[in-house]
Amino acid sequence: MPVNLPAYSELISFLQSHHVTLVAVSKTKPVSDIQEMYHLGQRDFGENYVQELVEKQALLPADIRWHFIGHLQSNKVKYIIPFVHLIQGIDSLSLLKEVNKQASKHNRVVNCLLQIYIAKEESKFGMDEAELEETIKLVLSGTLPHVSIQGLMGMASFTNDTQLIKNEFAQLKKIFDKIGNDIPVTYLSMGMSSDYKMAIEQGSNMVRIGSMLFGTRNK
Ligand SMILES: *Cc1c(COP(=O)(O)O)cnc(C)c1O
């Protein structure tokens, strides 16, 4: 299925007027779809699976900013470290330590977002506030010099209850503002195809949008 061009242009102008960065989520979609959107000027793309990301990166222009947005297993960190632009799914302190370790081997400082658990669902990953606090403390102590915490990422519950979704986004915005007192954070990544408008209303400045642009996925 080709890229939905009208949806893309409309989305881009809406996001630009709200100063929100678009990460086009291309997981499971062919390289040709990414190329098509690249030629429209899109540079930020999000992928969920390490092997798929590594394969696509090798085939596509070097100035694409690759966002890893899925659940990252520690033993796979090393494969994406050489080129990844932003790891959005840092859902545990041990994962952050592994990213720091692998990044040091490549002399890189790798940008990360800490994923916070806000949904009322068992299936979602993320840190709770206690783990977030512990992580911030460690970052401030200077012992993880090869990672740079750029902000937070979160996913709302998969539900039709819009009030619940708004509350979860508002909760994440509150945490974002609070940790902003301790470290300079830039990005609050929340919102996908179904809920990005609500997310932006609640303070998101980075959205991760897939199916609205590339069509529905099979996987
Ligand atoms: C797949 C995915 C998205 C995009 O979801 P759509 O509903 O297709 O817009 C956003 N964020 C994460 C973490 C994802 O896994």
Side-chain angles (χ1 to χ4, degrees), residues 11-201:
L11 180 64
I12 276 290
S13 56
F14 175 80
L15 295 179
Q16 281 174 350
S17 68
H18 289 79
H19 308 283
V20 174
T21 300
L22 171 64
V23 177
V25 176
S26 47
K27 64 182 176 210
T28 79
K29 297 296 172 181
V31 161
S32 56
D33 281 6
I34 301 174
Q35 275 163 335
E36 199 178 330
M37 207 171 278
Y38 178 88
H39 289 302
L40 299 171
Q42 181 65 30
R43 290 295 177 274
D44 292 276
F45 290 90
E47 290 281 342
N48 285 52
Y49 309 102
V50 167
Q51 194 187 338
E52 184 181 347
L53 171 55
V54 169
E55 285 171 11
K56 285 175 170 173
Q57 192 270 340
L59 298 170
L60 285 157
D63 63 342
I64 287 182
R65 294 183 288 269
W66 291 107
H67 297 242
F68 192 83
I69 65 171
H71 173 61
L72 182 56
Q73 288 168 278
S74 285
N75 60 345
K76 294 192 176 164
V77 169
K78 56 179 178 284
Y79 301 114
I80 63 169
I81 283 296
F83 64 85
V84 72
H85 172 70
L86 181 63
I87 300 178
Q88 296 207 13
I90 301 291
D91 54 15
S92 70
L93 182 48
S94 64
L95 177 61
L96 187 66
K97 287 177 179 169
E98 178 63 16
V99 171
N100 181 71
K101 182 176 154 194
Q102 296 299 332
S104 76
K105 293 183 187 170
H106 289 266
N107 261 316
R108 287 198 72 194
V109 176
V110 170
N111 298 320
C112 295
L113 301 185
L114 304 176
Q115 183 172 353
I116 309 302
Y117 184 84
I118 48 170
K120 310 273 171 295
E121 283 168 28
E122 286 296 319
S123 61
K124 299 236 158 64
F125 292 98
M127 299 184 183
D128 59 20
E129 283 198 65
E131 191 165 18
L132 173 63
E133 238 168 73
E134 190 190 346
T135 303
I136 297 291
K137 239 185 242 167
L138 203 67
V139 168
L140 287 171
S141 75
T143 50
L144 302 172
H146 290 277
V147 295
S148 170
I149 305 302
Q150 302 274 310
L152 302 181
M153 186 267 241
M155 272 191 276
S157 296
F158 184 71
T159 172
N160 290 323
D161 182 348
T162 53
Q163 195 52 52
L164 178 62
I165 295 172
K166 282 183 192 175
N167 290 347
E168 289 172 356
F169 286 148
Q171 183 195 340
L172 186 55
K173 174 66 160 75
K174 226 166 134 183
I175 299 170
F176 178 75
D177 289 340
K178 194 170 129 206
I179 74 156
N181 296 322
D182 297 322
I183 55 171
V185 282
T186 307
Y187 294 114
L188 178 55
S189 173
M190 54 185 198
M192 335 202 316
S193 293
S194 58
D195 57 17
Y196 73 94
K197 284 193 175 159
M198 282 185 276
I200 292 167
E201 273 169 27

